[in-house]
Amino acid sequence: MTHHKQYERYQRQIILKEFGLAAQEKLLRSKVLVVGAGGLGCPALQYLTAAGVGTVGIVDDDIVSLNNLHRQVLYNMNDIGSSKAEVAAKKLKALNDETKFTVYNERLTNRNALHIIIDYDIVIDGTDNFSSRYMINDACVLLNKPLVYGAISKFEGQVAVFNVKSNKRAVNYRDLFPDIPQENEVLNCADAGVLGVLPGIIGALQANETIKLITGIGKPLINKLFSYNALDNNSYEFNLILNEEAQALIPKNREAFFNMDYEWLCSSSTSAEFEINTTQFDSLISAGNTMIIDVREKDELPFVDEFEHIQIPLNELMSQLSLIGKDDIVVFCQSGKRSLQAAKMLNAHYHQQKKIYSLKGGVTVWKQKKLQKEKQ
């Protein structure tokens, strides 16, 4: 604590036995990035600033609209049409002039995410779409940054802490949602609606988890998901477990991350256009002019020696494109989930100039069908 003004400002939390001067000093030295200055970002930003976080980054390319004001109470009528990130920083500076604010009046994408996130200790996800959530998650995993997740819809909200080790494991967003929902499959707040106070509750909880992570007090929601219903005040806490297939979907390095088209992966394109069944797969094997790629990890079973193929694990795929020489490609994995994502990624990269398919049901179903034929 450098001077009397700081002590006076934070005195009510400093006198907490579990908190004290040491925790306050940690907050003053901390750097937190808040992605999205909307319903979740506004309360998170306000409470982190008030608590004394030293540096706060604000990422948002949106402007304030009238329909924001029922839940984004950092803004008012005079702010309509102005940049959310810039207005937020100005108002938060008036709340605490000792906090340093960095404004990113731009959308966070896989082209700028690593460059921005690397300078911060913790990231808060206040976005409202799946492509951003998966992209932010993967960036945090690559950079080994804790991620405080929040989501809201109608009357329900969720909070979790990802990418922090506990008992030698660290779950992430892909473990919670291994299968990417398609566009319009899950309604956002604009379509489904949301009770105005709900983002205030969930955003404040995100700030609370962030403060606990920084200071080391309490028990953060590491490897856990907290769910809250504003209608009946019911709340639940779930333990989250690692999903090996989901882990394999994360880009292995920066190059693979840069080459990932997250908006495409979450687009409304149907799975059917990329998938082929075992009969179609056998026909392509017989034709002999198709490159077949196993996107499983190198030690996964069952072993495949029935047909010629190469192996490129999914998280290395976009950095090993030079190995792909043919125009007709089939990718396969254990169950068909990873290979479907691989097919989408390759289609996005090649702009549909190649014929790329995923084996539906994976090699497990193919081997079962093969065994059935041999018994007939």
Side-chain angles (χ1 to χ4, degrees):
M1 197 64 54
T2 57
H3 51 74
H4 177 73
K5 180 183 175 182
Q6 282 189 331
Y7 183 85
E8 182 180 356
R9 177 188 291 274
Y10 307 117
Q11 187 259 354
R12 296 297 175 90
Q13 60 193 31
I14 290 173
I15 62 174
L16 292 169
K17 181 177 65 174
E18 300 85 352
F19 196 87
L21 277 171
Q24 189 62 56
E25 292 286 358
K26 290 177 181 177
L27 283 178
L28 293 170
R29 294 193 299 268
S30 66
K31 297 180 178 180
V32 178
L33 181 70
V34 179
V35 185
L40 296 173
C42 282
L45 284 164
Q46 287 169 286
Y47 279 105
L48 291 174
T49 301
V53 169
T55 301
V56 174
I58 308 171
V59 185
D60 202 312
D61 67 340
D62 199 7
I63 61 173
V64 180
S65 302
L66 180 62
N67 61 16
N68 298 151
L69 301 184
H70 93 289
R71 66 196 182 280
Q72 300 175 27
V73 295
L74 183 59
Y75 311 119
N76 60 44
M77 295 287 292
N78 295 327
D79 302 320
I80 292 175
S82 299
S83 160
K84 285 185 178 180
E86 292 175 1
V87 172
K90 181 179 179 180
K91 295 192 175 186
L92 293 168
K93 195 68 177 178
L95 172 64
N96 190 342
D97 60 356
E98 295 180 340
T99 296
K100 177 184 176 182
F101 296 96
T102 304
V103 173
Y104 304 91
N105 192 11
E106 58 188 302
R107 184 180 179 84
L108 197 71
T109 70
N110 61 326
R111 310 309 297 178
N112 62 12
L114 298 180
H115 175 72
I116 292 174
I117 290 173
I118 197 169
D119 290 331
Y120 293 88
D121 305 316
I122 297 174
V123 177
I124 292 180
D125 183 355
T127 61
D128 61 357
N129 64 87
F130 288 107
S131 59
S132 292
R133 288 173 184 163
Y134 281 100
M135 184 273 298
I136 293 167
N137 174 80
D138 293 354
C140 287
V141 172
L142 283 173
L143 295 174
N144 195 28
K145 301 287 186 179
L147 174 62
V148 180
Y149 156 77
I152 51 173
S153 180
K154 296 183 178 179
F155 303 99
E156 296 184 41
Q158 300 175 338
V159 182
V161 173
F162 295 133
N163 208 34
V164 178
K165 278 190 177 180
S166 177
N167 296 323
K168 298 182 179 180
R169 63 186 180 93
V171 302
N172 62 72
Y173 184 72
R174 287 186 180 270
D175 293 306
L176 178 60
F177 296 109
D179 299 321
I180 298 179
Q182 299 303 293
E183 183 182 304
N184 299 326
E185 185 177 339
V186 180
L187 298 179
N188 59 23
C189 291
D191 297 313
V194 62
L195 187 67
V197 299
L198 180 65
I201 295 168
I202 301 301
L205 286 172
Q206 287 181 279
N208 187 49
E209 293 305 303
T210 303
I211 290 169
K212 287 192 290 182
L213 286 172
I214 293 169
T215 61
I217 66 171
K219 296 180 179 179
L221 290 166
I222 298 170
N223 297 337
K224 296 179 183 293
L225 177 73
F226 177 81
S227 177
Y228 172 76
N229 188 309
L231 279 182
D232 53 22
N233 285 322
N234 281 336
S235 62
Y236 305 91
E237 192 173 291
F238 305 92
N239 290 320
L240 301 177
I241 60 174
L242 291 172
N243 183 311
E244 295 300 331
E245 285 203 356
Q247 295 289 326
L249 300 175
I250 299 170
K252 187 174 183 180
N253 52 40
R254 290 171 180 257
E255 181 181 359
F257 180 75
F258 290 148
N259 287 324
M260 184 81 80
D261 191 332
Y262 288 90
E263 291 193 8
W264 170 268
L265 293 175
C266 296
S267 70
S268 57
S269 300
T270 60
S271 301
E273 68 179 284
F274 301 112
E275 291 184 312
I276 58 172
N277 58 34
T278 55
T279 302
Q280 293 169 310
F281 184 56
D282 287 336
S283 297
L284 290 174
I285 293 174
S286 299
N289 57 357
T290 300
M291 171 173 276
I292 302 174
I293 305 173
D294 180 356
V295 296
R296 298 177 298 167
E297 296 298 308
K298 298 187 185 301
D299 57 350
E300 285 191 50
L301 297 175
F303 183 72
V304 177
D305 60 2
E306 294 91 340
F307 51 83
E308 186 177 346
H309 66 282
I310 65 172
Q311 187 168 40
I312 310 176
L314 179 60
N315 59 11
E316 299 178 21
L317 186 61
M318 301 310 290
S319 60
Q320 299 291 331
L321 295 174
S322 61
L323 299 178
I324 301 175
K326 294 186 178 181
D327 289 335
D328 294 339
I329 303 164
V330 177
V331 289
F332 74 88
C333 65
Q334 191 82 355
S335 65
K337 291 181 180 179
R338 279 175 286 174
S339 60
L340 179 57
Q341 180 150 342
K344 283 190 170 188
M345 290 162 56
L346 291 173
N347 267 286
H349 177 76
Y350 290 115
H351 303 289
Q352 300 183 344
Q353 294 174 357
K354 295 178 182 287
K355 294 180 180 179
I356 303 167
Y357 303 103
S358 166
L359 175 59
K360 187 175 182 179
V363 70
T364 301
V365 170
W366 182 83
K367 280 184 174 284
Q368 289 172 348
K369 297 281 187 181
K370 181 175 180 292
L371 186 60
Q372 290 172 1
K373 290 180 180 178
E374 292 172 350
K375 289 180 178 181
Q376 292 175 352

mmCIF file of all heavy atoms in Angstrom, residues 19-62:
data_model
loop_
_atom_site.group_PDB
_atom_site.id
_atom_site.type_symbol
_atom_site.label_atom_id
_atom_site.label_comp_id
_atom_site.label_asym_id
_atom_site.label_seq_id
_atom_site.Cartn_x
_atom_site.Cartn_y
_atom_site.Cartn_z
ATOM 1 N N PHE A 19 -8.518 -11.461 4.010
ATOM 2 C CA PHE A 19 -8.075 -10.643 2.887
ATOM 3 C C PHE A 19 -6.781 -9.909 3.224
ATOM 4 O O PHE A 19 -5.693 -10.329 2.852
ATOM 5 C CB PHE A 19 -9.194 -9.667 2.502
ATOM 6 C CG PHE A 19 -9.043 -9.043 1.154
ATOM 7 C CD1 PHE A 19 -9.543 -9.678 0.036
ATOM 8 C CD2 PHE A 19 -8.419 -7.810 0.997
ATOM 9 C CE1 PHE A 19 -9.418 -9.103 -1.219
ATOM 10 C CE2 PHE A 19 -8.287 -7.231 -0.249
ATOM 11 C CZ PHE A 19 -8.787 -7.881 -1.367
ATOM 12 N N GLY A 20 -6.887 -8.810 3.918
ATOM 13 C CA GLY A 20 -5.713 -8.103 4.407
ATOM 14 C C GLY A 20 -4.939 -7.333 3.347
ATOM 15 O O GLY A 20 -5.295 -7.284 2.175
ATOM 16 N N LEU A 21 -3.844 -6.711 3.781
ATOM 17 C CA LEU A 21 -3.005 -5.894 2.910
ATOM 18 C C LEU A 21 -2.376 -6.694 1.782
ATOM 19 O O LEU A 21 -2.241 -6.209 0.661
ATOM 20 C CB LEU A 21 -1.907 -5.223 3.734
ATOM 21 C CG LEU A 21 -2.278 -3.929 4.475
ATOM 22 C CD1 LEU A 21 -1.150 -3.513 5.404
ATOM 23 C CD2 LEU A 21 -2.584 -2.817 3.475
ATOM 24 N N ALA A 22 -1.982 -7.939 2.094
ATOM 25 C CA ALA A 22 -1.306 -8.760 1.086
ATOM 26 C C ALA A 22 -2.206 -8.997 -0.121
ATOM 27 O O ALA A 22 -1.770 -8.907 -1.276
ATOM 28 C CB ALA A 22 -0.875 -10.092 1.698
ATOM 29 N N ALA A 23 -3.485 -9.284 0.122
ATOM 30 C CA ALA A 23 -4.428 -9.516 -0.971
ATOM 31 C C ALA A 23 -4.644 -8.242 -1.781
ATOM 32 O O ALA A 23 -4.725 -8.275 -3.017
ATOM 33 C CB ALA A 23 -5.756 -10.033 -0.424
ATOM 34 N N GLN A 24 -4.722 -7.101 -1.082
ATOM 35 C CA GLN A 24 -4.912 -5.838 -1.786
ATOM 36 C C GLN A 24 -3.730 -5.514 -2.685
ATOM 37 O O GLN A 24 -3.897 -5.031 -3.810
ATOM 38 C CB GLN A 24 -5.143 -4.706 -0.786
ATOM 39 C CG GLN A 24 -5.570 -3.405 -1.441
ATOM 40 C CD GLN A 24 -6.902 -3.550 -2.173
ATOM 41 O OE1 GLN A 24 -7.892 -3.954 -1.576
ATOM 42 N NE2 GLN A 24 -6.923 -3.232 -3.456
ATOM 43 N N GLU A 25 -2.537 -5.792 -2.202
ATOM 44 C CA GLU A 25 -1.339 -5.560 -3.009
ATOM 45 C C GLU A 25 -1.359 -6.421 -4.273
ATOM 46 O O GLU A 25 -0.951 -5.976 -5.354
ATOM 47 C CB GLU A 25 -0.086 -5.866 -2.186
ATOM 48 C CG GLU A 25 0.174 -4.899 -1.041
ATOM 49 C CD GLU A 25 0.678 -3.541 -1.514
ATOM 50 O OE1 GLU A 25 0.856 -3.359 -2.736
ATOM 51 O OE2 GLU A 25 0.882 -2.656 -0.668
ATOM 52 N N LYS A 26 -1.838 -7.644 -4.136
ATOM 53 C CA LYS A 26 -1.930 -8.524 -5.306
ATOM 54 C C LYS A 26 -2.902 -7.950 -6.335
ATOM 55 O O LYS A 26 -2.641 -7.994 -7.539
ATOM 56 C CB LYS A 26 -2.368 -9.919 -4.884
ATOM 57 C CG LYS A 26 -1.320 -10.691 -4.094
ATOM 58 C CD LYS A 26 -1.859 -12.045 -3.651
ATOM 59 C CE LYS A 26 -0.814 -12.802 -2.832
ATOM 60 N NZ LYS A 26 -1.358 -14.099 -2.336
ATOM 61 N N LEU A 27 -4.030 -7.433 -5.870
ATOM 62 C CA LEU A 27 -4.989 -6.819 -6.779
ATOM 63 C C LEU A 27 -4.378 -5.626 -7.502
ATOM 64 O O LEU A 27 -4.549 -5.453 -8.711
ATOM 65 C CB LEU A 27 -6.245 -6.367 -6.018
ATOM 66 C CG LEU A 27 -7.244 -7.438 -5.613
ATOM 67 C CD1 LEU A 27 -8.388 -6.814 -4.819
ATOM 68 C CD2 LEU A 27 -7.806 -8.157 -6.834
ATOM 69 N N LEU A 28 -3.665 -4.785 -6.764
ATOM 70 C CA LEU A 28 -3.073 -3.578 -7.345
ATOM 71 C C LEU A 28 -2.043 -3.913 -8.422
ATOM 72 O O LEU A 28 -1.813 -3.119 -9.338
ATOM 73 C CB LEU A 28 -2.431 -2.727 -6.249
ATOM 74 C CG LEU A 28 -3.405 -2.100 -5.229
ATOM 75 C CD1 LEU A 28 -2.639 -1.483 -4.071
ATOM 76 C CD2 LEU A 28 -4.283 -1.050 -5.911
ATOM 77 N N ARG A 29 -1.424 -5.087 -8.316
ATOM 78 C CA ARG A 29 -0.413 -5.497 -9.298
ATOM 79 C C ARG A 29 -1.004 -6.315 -10.447
ATOM 80 O O ARG A 29 -0.308 -6.624 -11.413
ATOM 81 C CB ARG A 29 0.685 -6.328 -8.619
ATOM 82 C CG ARG A 29 1.535 -5.563 -7.617
ATOM 83 C CD ARG A 29 2.769 -6.380 -7.241
ATOM 84 N NE ARG A 29 2.401 -7.657 -6.624
ATOM 85 C CZ ARG A 29 2.267 -7.852 -5.319
ATOM 86 N NH1 ARG A 29 2.445 -6.838 -4.462
ATOM 87 N NH2 ARG A 29 1.950 -9.035 -4.839
ATOM 88 N N SER A 30 -2.260 -6.669 -10.347
ATOM 89 C CA SER A 30 -2.861 -7.607 -11.304
ATOM 90 C C SER A 30 -3.310 -6.928 -12.593
ATOM 91 O O SER A 30 -3.550 -5.723 -12.643
ATOM 92 C CB SER A 30 -4.056 -8.318 -10.662
ATOM 93 O OG SER A 30 -5.101 -7.394 -10.399
ATOM 94 N N LYS A 31 -3.426 -7.749 -13.637
ATOM 95 C CA LYS A 31 -3.898 -7.294 -14.947
ATOM 96 C C LYS A 31 -5.003 -8.234 -15.416
ATOM 97 O O LYS A 31 -4.769 -9.439 -15.562
ATOM 98 C CB LYS A 31 -2.759 -7.287 -15.962
ATOM 99 C CG LYS A 31 -1.623 -6.335 -15.621
ATOM 100 C CD LYS A 31 -0.530 -6.385 -16.687
ATOM 101 C CE LYS A 31 0.599 -5.409 -16.382
ATOM 102 N NZ LYS A 31 1.660 -5.453 -17.424
ATOM 103 N N VAL A 32 -6.186 -7.686 -15.653
ATOM 104 C CA VAL A 32 -7.343 -8.489 -16.045
ATOM 105 C C VAL A 32 -7.900 -7.979 -17.367
ATOM 106 O O VAL A 32 -8.098 -6.774 -17.537
ATOM 107 C CB VAL A 32 -8.448 -8.458 -14.970
ATOM 108 C CG1 VAL A 32 -9.672 -9.253 -15.425
ATOM 109 C CG2 VAL A 32 -7.922 -8.992 -13.642
ATOM 110 N N LEU A 33 -8.152 -8.890 -18.296
ATOM 111 C CA LEU A 33 -8.756 -8.539 -19.578
ATOM 112 C C LEU A 33 -10.216 -8.971 -19.580
ATOM 113 O O LEU A 33 -10.532 -10.136 -19.320
ATOM 114 C CB LEU A 33 -8.023 -9.243 -20.725
ATOM 115 C CG LEU A 33 -8.554 -8.938 -22.127
ATOM 116 C CD1 LEU A 33 -8.227 -7.499 -22.518
ATOM 117 C CD2 LEU A 33 -7.974 -9.914 -23.156
ATOM 118 N N VAL A 34 -11.114 -8.038 -19.867
ATOM 119 C CA VAL A 34 -12.541 -8.330 -19.964
ATOM 120 C C VAL A 34 -12.935 -8.243 -21.429
ATOM 121 O O VAL A 34 -12.842 -7.182 -22.042
ATOM 122 C CB VAL A 34 -13.383 -7.352 -19.119
ATOM 123 C CG1 VAL A 34 -14.868 -7.667 -19.261
ATOM 124 C CG2 VAL A 34 -12.957 -7.426 -17.652
ATOM 125 N N VAL A 35 -13.365 -9.374 -21.974
ATOM 126 C CA VAL A 35 -13.764 -9.425 -23.380
ATOM 127 C C VAL A 35 -15.285 -9.283 -23.444
ATOM 128 O O VAL A 35 -16.027 -10.166 -23.041
ATOM 129 C CB VAL A 35 -13.330 -10.745 -24.040
ATOM 130 C CG1 VAL A 35 -13.658 -10.713 -25.532
ATOM 131 C CG2 VAL A 35 -11.842 -10.990 -23.819
ATOM 132 N N GLY A 36 -15.725 -8.146 -23.937
ATOM 133 C CA GLY A 36 -17.146 -7.839 -23.988
ATOM 134 C C GLY A 36 -17.546 -6.885 -22.880
ATOM 135 O O GLY A 36 -17.466 -7.228 -21.697
ATOM 136 N N ALA A 37 -17.952 -5.683 -23.247
ATOM 137 C CA ALA A 37 -18.381 -4.679 -22.261
ATOM 138 C C ALA A 37 -19.896 -4.553 -22.297
ATOM 139 O O ALA A 37 -20.450 -3.457 -22.328
ATOM 140 C CB ALA A 37 -17.714 -3.335 -22.552
ATOM 141 N N GLY A 38 -20.571 -5.708 -22.291
ATOM 142 C CA GLY A 38 -22.019 -5.748 -22.345
ATOM 143 C C GLY A 38 -22.624 -6.161 -21.026
ATOM 144 O O GLY A 38 -22.188 -5.722 -19.966
ATOM 145 N N GLY A 39 -23.635 -7.049 -21.089
ATOM 146 C CA GLY A 39 -24.367 -7.426 -19.895
ATOM 147 C C GLY A 39 -23.499 -8.021 -18.796
ATOM 148 O O GLY A 39 -23.649 -7.677 -17.627
ATOM 149 N N LEU A 40 -22.590 -8.915 -19.156
ATOM 150 C CA LEU A 40 -21.692 -9.529 -18.171
ATOM 151 C C LEU A 40 -20.482 -8.642 -17.896
ATOM 152 O O LEU A 40 -20.025 -8.525 -16.755
ATOM 153 C CB LEU A 40 -21.222 -10.897 -18.664
ATOM 154 C CG LEU A 40 -22.289 -11.969 -18.829
ATOM 155 C CD1 LEU A 40 -21.701 -13.218 -19.480
ATOM 156 C CD2 LEU A 40 -22.897 -12.324 -17.478
ATOM 157 N N GLY A 41 -19.967 -8.023 -18.938
ATOM 158 C CA GLY A 41 -18.764 -7.211 -18.787
ATOM 159 C C GLY A 41 -18.953 -5.989 -17.918
ATOM 160 O O GLY A 41 -18.061 -5.627 -17.135
ATOM 161 N N CYS A 42 -20.123 -5.338 -18.009
ATOM 162 C CA CYS A 42 -20.348 -4.114 -17.231
ATOM 163 C C CYS A 42 -20.200 -4.337 -15.722
ATOM 164 O O CYS A 42 -19.394 -3.653 -15.072
ATOM 165 C CB CYS A 42 -21.719 -3.528 -17.553
ATOM 166 S SG CYS A 42 -21.762 -2.635 -19.128
ATOM 167 N N PRO A 43 -20.939 -5.276 -15.111
ATOM 168 C CA PRO A 43 -20.774 -5.469 -13.659
ATOM 169 C C PRO A 43 -19.390 -5.985 -13.297
ATOM 170 O O PRO A 43 -18.835 -5.596 -12.268
ATOM 171 C CB PRO A 43 -21.864 -6.482 -13.311
ATOM 172 C CG PRO A 43 -22.197 -7.160 -14.595
ATOM 173 C CD PRO A 43 -22.008 -6.123 -15.656
ATOM 174 N N ALA A 44 -18.825 -6.869 -14.136
ATOM 175 C CA ALA A 44 -17.484 -7.372 -13.848
ATOM 176 C C ALA A 44 -16.480 -6.229 -13.838
ATOM 177 O O ALA A 44 -15.634 -6.122 -12.932
ATOM 178 C CB ALA A 44 -17.087 -8.428 -14.885
ATOM 179 N N LEU A 45 -16.558 -5.364 -14.822
ATOM 180 C CA LEU A 45 -15.656 -4.218 -14.908
ATOM 181 C C LEU A 45 -15.814 -3.288 -13.711
ATOM 182 O O LEU A 45 -14.824 -2.809 -13.135
ATOM 183 C CB LEU A 45 -15.913 -3.443 -16.197
ATOM 184 C CG LEU A 45 -15.383 -4.066 -17.487
ATOM 185 C CD1 LEU A 45 -16.022 -3.411 -18.701
ATOM 186 C CD2 LEU A 45 -13.864 -3.951 -17.548
ATOM 187 N N GLN A 46 -17.051 -3.012 -13.322
ATOM 188 C CA GLN A 46 -17.297 -2.085 -12.219
ATOM 189 C C GLN A 46 -16.729 -2.615 -10.904
ATOM 190 O O GLN A 46 -16.072 -1.880 -10.156
ATOM 191 C CB GLN A 46 -18.795 -1.812 -12.095
ATOM 192 C CG GLN A 46 -19.327 -0.914 -13.214
ATOM 193 C CD GLN A 46 -20.842 -0.849 -13.246
ATOM 194 O OE1 GLN A 46 -21.507 -1.791 -13.664
ATOM 195 N NE2 GLN A 46 -21.404 0.266 -12.791
ATOM 196 N N TYR A 47 -16.964 -3.874 -10.616
ATOM 197 C CA TYR A 47 -16.500 -4.408 -9.331
ATOM 198 C C TYR A 47 -14.997 -4.661 -9.311
ATOM 199 O O TYR A 47 -14.349 -4.519 -8.261
ATOM 200 C CB TYR A 47 -17.275 -5.677 -8.978
ATOM 201 C CG TYR A 47 -18.618 -5.343 -8.370
ATOM 202 C CD1 TYR A 47 -19.792 -5.490 -9.091
ATOM 203 C CD2 TYR A 47 -18.708 -4.850 -7.069
ATOM 204 C CE1 TYR A 47 -21.025 -5.157 -8.546
ATOM 205 C CE2 TYR A 47 -19.928 -4.526 -6.510
ATOM 206 C CZ TYR A 47 -21.086 -4.674 -7.247
ATOM 207 O OH TYR A 47 -22.295 -4.337 -6.696
ATOM 208 N N LEU A 48 -14.417 -5.026 -10.437
ATOM 209 C CA LEU A 48 -12.966 -5.197 -10.475
ATOM 210 C C LEU A 48 -12.260 -3.854 -10.311
ATOM 211 O O LEU A 48 -11.246 -3.740 -9.614
ATOM 212 C CB LEU A 48 -12.543 -5.848 -11.795
ATOM 213 C CG LEU A 48 -12.950 -7.307 -11.976
ATOM 214 C CD1 LEU A 48 -12.593 -7.781 -13.378
ATOM 215 C CD2 LEU A 48 -12.288 -8.201 -10.935
ATOM 216 N N THR A 49 -12.803 -2.827 -10.959
ATOM 217 C CA THR A 49 -12.238 -1.486 -10.820
ATOM 218 C C THR A 49 -12.373 -0.987 -9.389
ATOM 219 O O THR A 49 -11.423 -0.446 -8.812
ATOM 220 C CB THR A 49 -12.944 -0.510 -11.782
ATOM 221 O OG1 THR A 49 -12.786 -0.975 -13.123
ATOM 222 C CG2 THR A 49 -12.370 0.893 -11.662
ATOM 223 N N ALA A 50 -13.541 -1.160 -8.808
ATOM 224 C CA ALA A 50 -13.766 -0.713 -7.431
ATOM 225 C C ALA A 50 -12.878 -1.466 -6.447
ATOM 226 O O ALA A 50 -12.420 -0.899 -5.449
ATOM 227 C CB ALA A 50 -15.235 -0.908 -7.063
ATOM 228 N N ALA A 51 -12.603 -2.749 -6.739
ATOM 229 C CA ALA A 51 -11.793 -3.573 -5.822
ATOM 230 C C ALA A 51 -10.322 -3.215 -5.870
ATOM 231 O O ALA A 51 -9.570 -3.558 -4.951
ATOM 232 C CB ALA A 51 -11.977 -5.049 -6.159
ATOM 233 N N GLY A 52 -9.888 -2.550 -6.962
ATOM 234 C CA GLY A 52 -8.496 -2.115 -7.023
ATOM 235 C C GLY A 52 -7.605 -2.905 -7.948
ATOM 236 O O GLY A 52 -6.379 -2.900 -7.780
ATOM 237 N N VAL A 53 -8.189 -3.582 -8.949
ATOM 238 C CA VAL A 53 -7.346 -4.244 -9.947
ATOM 239 C C VAL A 53 -6.502 -3.182 -10.648
ATOM 240 O O VAL A 53 -7.013 -2.154 -11.094
ATOM 241 C CB VAL A 53 -8.215 -5.015 -10.969
ATOM 242 C CG1 VAL A 53 -7.379 -5.479 -12.155
ATOM 243 C CG2 VAL A 53 -8.885 -6.210 -10.291
ATOM 244 N N GLY A 54 -5.195 -3.423 -10.755
ATOM 245 C CA GLY A 54 -4.269 -2.397 -11.239
ATOM 246 C C GLY A 54 -4.431 -2.022 -12.685
ATOM 247 O O GLY A 54 -4.387 -0.843 -13.046
ATOM 248 N N THR A 55 -4.605 -3.036 -13.555
ATOM 249 C CA THR A 55 -4.741 -2.792 -14.987
ATOM 250 C C THR A 55 -5.922 -3.574 -15.517
ATOM 251 O O THR A 55 -6.034 -4.784 -15.283
ATOM 252 C CB THR A 55 -3.469 -3.209 -15.752
ATOM 253 O OG1 THR A 55 -2.352 -2.467 -15.251
ATOM 254 C CG2 THR A 55 -3.618 -2.957 -17.240
ATOM 255 N N VAL A 56 -6.798 -2.905 -16.230
ATOM 256 C CA VAL A 56 -7.985 -3.538 -16.804
ATOM 257 C C VAL A 56 -8.005 -3.276 -18.304
ATOM 258 O O VAL A 56 -7.941 -2.128 -18.746
ATOM 259 C CB VAL A 56 -9.285 -2.988 -16.167
ATOM 260 C CG1 VAL A 56 -10.514 -3.548 -16.881
ATOM 261 C CG2 VAL A 56 -9.338 -3.328 -14.679
ATOM 262 N N GLY A 57 -8.073 -4.363 -19.083
ATOM 263 C CA GLY A 57 -8.228 -4.251 -20.525
ATOM 264 C C GLY A 57 -9.682 -4.470 -20.901
ATOM 265 O O GLY A 57 -10.355 -5.334 -20.325
ATOM 266 N N ILE A 58 -10.182 -3.677 -21.836
ATOM 267 C CA ILE A 58 -11.585 -3.773 -22.264
ATOM 268 C C ILE A 58 -11.612 -3.984 -23.768
ATOM 269 O O ILE A 58 -11.150 -3.128 -24.530
ATOM 270 C CB ILE A 58 -12.378 -2.500 -21.910
ATOM 271 C CG1 ILE A 58 -12.205 -2.146 -20.426
ATOM 272 C CG2 ILE A 58 -13.854 -2.686 -22.246
ATOM 273 C CD1 ILE A 58 -12.785 -0.783 -20.062
ATOM 274 N N VAL A 59 -12.172 -5.136 -24.193
ATOM 275 C CA VAL A 59 -12.268 -5.448 -25.618
ATOM 276 C C VAL A 59 -13.729 -5.448 -26.036
ATOM 277 O O VAL A 59 -14.526 -6.235 -25.521
ATOM 278 C CB VAL A 59 -11.657 -6.826 -25.941
ATOM 279 C CG1 VAL A 59 -11.672 -7.064 -27.448
ATOM 280 C CG2 VAL A 59 -10.251 -6.945 -25.401
ATOM 281 N N ASP A 60 -14.088 -4.570 -26.964
ATOM 282 C CA ASP A 60 -15.456 -4.546 -27.495
ATOM 283 C C ASP A 60 -15.497 -3.613 -28.703
ATOM 284 O O ASP A 60 -15.000 -2.490 -28.628
ATOM 285 C CB ASP A 60 -16.456 -4.072 -26.438
ATOM 286 C CG ASP A 60 -17.875 -4.532 -26.737
ATOM 287 O OD1 ASP A 60 -18.321 -4.358 -27.887
ATOM 288 O OD2 ASP A 60 -18.536 -5.070 -25.829
ATOM 289 N N ASP A 61 -16.096 -4.088 -29.788
ATOM 290 C CA ASP A 61 -16.198 -3.245 -30.987
ATOM 291 C C ASP A 61 -17.615 -2.722 -31.191
ATOM 292 O O ASP A 61 -17.916 -2.104 -32.216
ATOM 293 C CB ASP A 61 -15.748 -4.017 -32.232
ATOM 294 C CG ASP A 61 -16.690 -5.168 -32.585
ATOM 295 O OD1 ASP A 61 -17.452 -5.616 -31.698
ATOM 296 O OD2 ASP A 61 -16.663 -5.634 -33.733
ATOM 297 N N ASP A 62 -18.496 -2.936 -30.200
ATOM 298 C CA ASP A 62 -19.900 -2.561 -30.320
ATOM 299 C C ASP A 62 -20.131 -1.139 -29.816
ATOM 300 O O ASP A 62 -19.279 -0.543 -29.143
ATOM 301 C CB ASP A 62 -20.757 -3.541 -29.518
ATOM 302 C CG ASP A 62 -22.216 -3.526 -29.937
ATOM 303 O OD1 ASP A 62 -22.539 -2.857 -30.942
ATOM 304 O OD2 ASP A 62 -23.034 -4.172 -29.250
#
